[in-house]
Amino acid sequence: MPTRRQRANAIRFLSMDAVQKANSGHPGAPMGLADIAEVLWHDFLRHNPKDPSWPDRDRFVLSNGHASMLLYSLLHLTGYDLPLEELQNFRRLHSKTPGHPEYGLTPGVETTTGPLGQGLSNAVGMALAERILAERYNHKGHCIVDHWTYVVVGDGCLMEGISHEAASLAGTLGLGKLIAVYDDNGISIDGAVDAWFTENRAERFKAYGWHVIPQVDGHDPAQVAQALKEARQNTAQPSLLCCQTTIGFGAPNLAGSHKTHGAPLGDPEIQAARAELEWDFEPFVIPESISSEWNARGKGQALQQDWESRFQAFARELPHLAAEFSRVMNRELPDGFADQAELFIASLAKEGLDMATRKASKVALEGLAPMLAELVGGSSDLSGSNQTQWSGAKSVTRADLAGNYIHYGVREFAMAGIMNGLALHGGLIPYGGTFLVFSDYARNAIRLAALMKIRTLFVLSHDSIGVGEDGPTHQPIEHTASLRLIPNLHVWRPCDTVESGAAWKASLERSEGPAALILTRQTTRFQPRSEAAIQAIARGGYILKEAEHPLEAIIIATGSEVELAVQAAKDCSRKGRGVRVVSMPCLDLFEEQDPGYREQVLPEAIQARVVVEAGVTAPWYKHAGCKGLVLGIDRFGESAPGKDLFAFFELTRDRVLRAVEDLL
């Protein structure tokens, strides 16, 4: 029977060989982590390679995603649909083994990692999701949600600021089924980290409220196994295993050197490693005696079948709860949600109330959230300002994890990363709020949500110079435009209650990507519209007010500036001019529409176009055209009441009117 070291060496040599063949990659971390991974995956991890989506599987996150060949080797060896040819095509175009793990591309990859530290925040979200769902669905002796989240982190992950934010909240909430394995090899790209990373990491995590197991020899399987057992015995605190390893373990001349971090070892060093580790096999060859020991398909299938039997018993006794669990884990909305949401939006149109869109967003939550058991909200210490805490919100606390509202504290980046983890786990739809100007702190996690095509909803209020007296530090000028640059992110900037409700409905129904809801602090005026116009909101841009005379010009606007467009169009109409108002609450979605619809809304023949939005003008010239005008703000704001600032920056009814007249 193969020894543990031989099983670990299978990981090492697959990693070495794949990086060498690609002439690109990071062999050092997989080689150093192989002994730990062997113990974790062979003895502890509950998973089924035949069904990577089994709801009660343990989650494994490789936060230091540059070590991707560690994960690819494990997935291949344990029996996932990742054949050897994919490892041989490491980092090649269209392979399932890209340079960093990508969710949705490679079977068994739980999240996209690479930007260091974010995997840790995702793991916190997954562990939190497990606890929330366990509180909701484990009833009357039935335990259908009971799994662990394991995350591997490196020195770089723990240097990143997001690690502090995420670990602090994990300790506060007592996420005892989260285990982090710290690859303490003391090396990063620039060399030995003791020149720039000197705090006591064990004491730091103890201060967060973690259970810390220090000084684990990462190359001693018995010590690793004992540490994992000890961690699993403490379900009141998340655990950190400080595992001391040697980067590039097994390479006789380069082990322990930063030279193994991000470059192939070279054929001579790999041959020397084969001799050093007594691995007498050709590249990519794993002997049957070792591969059969690794294969986890039979064991995984048995684990899942046992769970399915228990779930069937649960369903017989609690059918409604079981049906709901299956629905939310399948990421399906309740039957009839779309119809009920449309009726709710129609009621908003009848009420016709003026209010800030941040308040309109809360109204939408009050109407839609009661239908969605899976909706979990939160805010980064701005619940009242973001208006994210609706009447049915119940706070998630260490003492009571059964709630649906998370107080993230002033941790915007971790909030976004944890929300991604909640969404990736399944069973929950997360939304979280902060000020739009602070989306910069969270931006990389928002970007990864878009890259992974997951349903994470970012509520971003205080959207412009309308913030007022707080001044330019808090007035987002470029932020809406910059978010629109992220592929697959739907950025909504609604103008009133109806568009706010429609934005929420569309974002909740969209299962293949995230959304950002950009909301005003100041009151906006309700805009009457036809039933057809209400339906057209879901297309991102639509004709809000048709010209009362033959069409000569078009005003395009979003958010609070729609009111200015409507007023200016009325003034034009009184002068006999035919001016159409197009509301564009979601530019991204409008651009996804078919050419015929876009031509209907913005006919090419009408070159006199004015765009008005209280932000940078650059994104709008595509729709304004060569002969159009864009009214916006291409400098930072000032500290003054919001109304004064709109006048100072000439974002007024009169300025819009003059712009149309100038074009005509």
Side-chain angles (χ1 to χ4, degrees):
M1 178 179 293
T3 64
R4 284 192 178 277
R5 178 55 56 80
Q6 288 173 321
R7 287 198 294 262
N9 285 343
I11 299 171
R12 290 190 172 97
F13 284 101
L14 285 174
S15 300
M16 280 186 261
D17 293 337
V19 170
Q20 187 66 27
K21 188 172 190 297
N23 196 30
S24 172
H26 300 75
M31 295 166 69
L33 282 164
D35 294 308
I36 299 170
E38 187 276 329
V39 174
L40 175 58
W41 279 64
H42 191 267
D43 294 2
F44 290 89
L45 197 72
R46 296 173 69 256
H47 63 119
N48 182 8
K50 287 186 176 180
D51 185 3
S53 64
W54 170 34
D56 204 38
R57 69 191 181 279
D58 289 342
R59 270 61 171 180
F60 176 84
V61 174
L62 184 69
S63 186
N64 47 340
H66 57 268
S68 56
M69 270 310 305
L70 174 79
L71 181 53
Y72 299 149
S73 298
L74 288 162
L75 294 172
H76 167 72
L77 289 166
T78 54
Y80 285 80
D81 184 17
L82 194 68
L84 188 63
E85 292 76 16
E86 293 291 350
L87 274 63
Q88 293 170 326
N89 286 329
F90 179 52
R91 291 187 163 222
R92 292 292 182 257
L93 186 64
H94 303 314
S95 77
K96 291 184 179 181
T97 50
H100 293 82
E102 294 184 29
Y103 172 78
L105 178 66
T106 312
V109 170
E110 299 283 2
T111 180
T112 296
T113 55
L116 293 178
Q118 283 201 61
L120 175 58
S121 69
N122 298 161
V124 171
M126 293 175 188
L128 180 54
E130 192 273 344
R131 289 293 79 201
I132 291 172
L133 294 171
E135 291 290 334
R136 292 183 183 182
Y137 295 106
N138 291 347
H139 285 286
K140 297 183 179 180
H142 296 283
C143 186
I144 60 165
V145 181
D146 183 19
H147 52 266
W148 294 80
T149 301
Y150 299 95
V151 56
V152 174
V153 299
D155 288 305
C157 294
L158 298 191
M159 284 187 245
E160 288 285 358
I162 191 173
S163 72
H164 298 260
E165 298 179 25
S168 173
L169 188 60
T172 297
L173 293 175
L175 300 180
K177 300 194 76 175
L178 170 64
I179 296 177
V181 176
Y182 168 31
D183 180 22
D184 183 8
N185 61 33
I187 296 292
S188 67
I189 294 175
D190 281 357
V193 302
D194 56 9
W196 51 83
F197 189 37
T198 59
E199 73 262 28
N200 188 316
R201 274 81 82 184
E203 292 301 317
R204 173 182 143 194
F205 274 78
K206 286 180 183 178
Y208 294 145
W210 285 55
H211 169 219
V212 177
I213 305 174
Q215 296 181 329
V216 178
D217 183 346
H219 300 298
D220 183 337
Q223 283 196 35
V224 173
Q226 181 57 39
L228 286 166
K229 290 176 184 176
E230 184 180 335
R232 287 166 58 93
Q233 289 169 358
N234 185 346
T235 56
Q237 297 172 283
S239 292
L240 178 74
L241 280 59
C242 299
C243 297
Q244 293 158 337
T245 66
T246 300
I247 192 170
F249 181 93
N253 302 302
L254 294 177
S257 168
H258 70 281
K259 294 179 181 180
T260 69
H261 173 87
L265 299 181
D267 287 327
E269 185 69 6
I270 293 176
Q271 289 303 319
R274 280 182 154 77
E276 178 78 12
L277 296 174
E278 299 179 352
W279 187 261
D280 190 22
F281 308 104
E282 294 299 311
F284 296 105
V285 172
I286 306 297
E288 172 63 24
S289 60
I290 294 176
S291 62
S292 62
E293 277 285 303
W294 263 116
N295 193 306
R297 286 191 161 207
K299 179 181 176 182
Q301 191 73 357
L303 288 169
Q304 184 168 346
Q305 287 174 351
D306 174 71
W307 178 84
E308 288 172 349
S309 297
R310 290 186 282 113
F311 184 80
Q312 290 169 6
F314 170 66
R316 286 192 294 270
E317 187 169 351
L318 298 165
H320 296 297
L321 206 58
E324 181 183 276
F325 178 82
S326 295
R327 177 184 67 76
V328 300
M329 291 305 297
N330 287 328
R331 295 175 167 82
E332 298 169 352
L333 297 180
D335 291 340
F337 173 80
D339 292 339
Q340 292 181 63
E342 286 184 9
L343 290 173
F344 170 70
I345 293 169
S347 73
L348 296 176
K350 290 180 180 178
E351 289 176 348
L353 299 177
D354 297 344
M355 65 179 67
T357 55
R358 61 172 175 153
K359 293 183 178 179
S361 173
K362 183 175 180 179
V363 170
L365 277 171
E366 294 287 357
L368 301 177
M371 306 182 218
L372 300 170
E374 60 267 48
L375 196 62
V376 172
S379 176
S380 60
D381 203 47
L382 291 167
S383 296
S385 296
N386 300 145
Q387 297 283 294
T388 46
Q389 197 166 10
W390 62 290
S391 61
K394 178 185 176 185
S395 296
V396 174
T397 67
R398 185 188 188 104
D400 186 0
L401 291 165
N404 62 356
Y405 194 84
I406 302 163
H407 296 277
Y408 289 100
V410 187
R411 303 182 180 100
E412 294 89 354
F413 195 2
M415 177 182 74
I418 290 168
M419 287 165 57
N420 287 346
L422 292 168
L424 288 160
H425 179 280
L428 301 173
I429 299 175
Y431 71 89
T434 187
F435 289 167
L436 174 59
V437 76
F438 300 138
S439 65
D440 282 341
Y441 285 139
R443 183 181 177 86
N444 201 264
I446 296 173
R447 180 179 184 270
L448 284 186
L451 177 60
M452 292 188 281
K453 300 180 180 180
I454 56 177
R455 184 163 40 190
T456 312
L457 311 184
F458 303 97
V459 180
L460 305 172
S461 71
H462 294 58
D463 70 346
S464 70
I465 54 171
V467 170
E469 294 87 344
D470 278 338
T473 62
H474 282 53
Q475 293 167 7
I477 301 300
E478 74 279 19
H479 296 72
T480 301
S482 70
L483 289 171
R484 289 184 180 129
L485 293 174
I486 299 176
N488 200 46
L489 174 67
H490 279 184
V491 179
W492 287 87
R493 189 168 184 250
C495 74
D496 66 358
T497 56
V498 174
E499 284 191 1
S500 297
W504 268 103
K505 176 179 180 292
S507 300
L508 289 165
E509 290 179 334
R510 182 178 183 238
S511 61
E512 70 277 9
L517 278 63
I518 313 297
L519 308 171
T520 68
R521 177 195 186 193
Q522 72 274 21
T523 297
T524 61
R525 184 171 297 176
F526 170 77
Q527 300 297 329
R529 48 176 69 76
S530 67
E531 176 62 30
I534 293 174
Q535 294 298 316
I537 296 171
R539 305 189 78 163
Y542 65 102
I543 301 169
L544 175 63
K545 297 292 182 186
E546 187 54 280
E548 296 178 2
H549 303 282
L551 184 60
E552 298 176 89
I554 300 172
I555 307 174
I556 306 168
T558 77
S560 54
E561 292 73 70
V562 169
E563 179 181 336
L564 303 178
V566 171
Q567 292 171 343
K570 288 179 180 178
D571 292 340
C572 289
S573 181
R574 283 192 286 269
K575 297 180 179 183
R577 294 293 194 179
V579 178
R580 169 187 292 177
V581 176
V582 170
S583 180
M584 194 78 73
C586 186
L587 181 58
D588 318 275
L589 187 53
F590 178 74
E591 293 182 347
E592 293 174 11
Q593 303 305 307
D594 62 86
Y597 178 77
R598 285 184 275 130
E599 169 65 18
Q600 175 189 336
V601 175
L602 298 175
E604 188 176 350
I606 306 302
Q607 295 293 301
R609 299 182 185 182
V610 175
V611 180
V612 55
E613 184 176 66
V616 294
T617 59
W620 286 107
Y621 288 100
K622 174 180 179 180
H623 293 290
C626 297
K627 299 179 180 179
L629 293 173
V630 181
L631 307 181
I633 306 172
D634 288 314
R635 52 154 288 189
F636 293 118
E638 300 281 349
S639 179
K643 289 183 179 179
D644 295 347
L645 292 173
F646 274 91
F648 175 76
F649 286 106
E650 291 193 280
L651 290 172
T652 63
R653 170 183 188 164
D654 290 343
R655 179 67 184 95
V656 178
L657 175 61
R658 291 201 310 273
V660 175
E661 290 177 336
D662 289 345
L663 291 175
L664 295 177

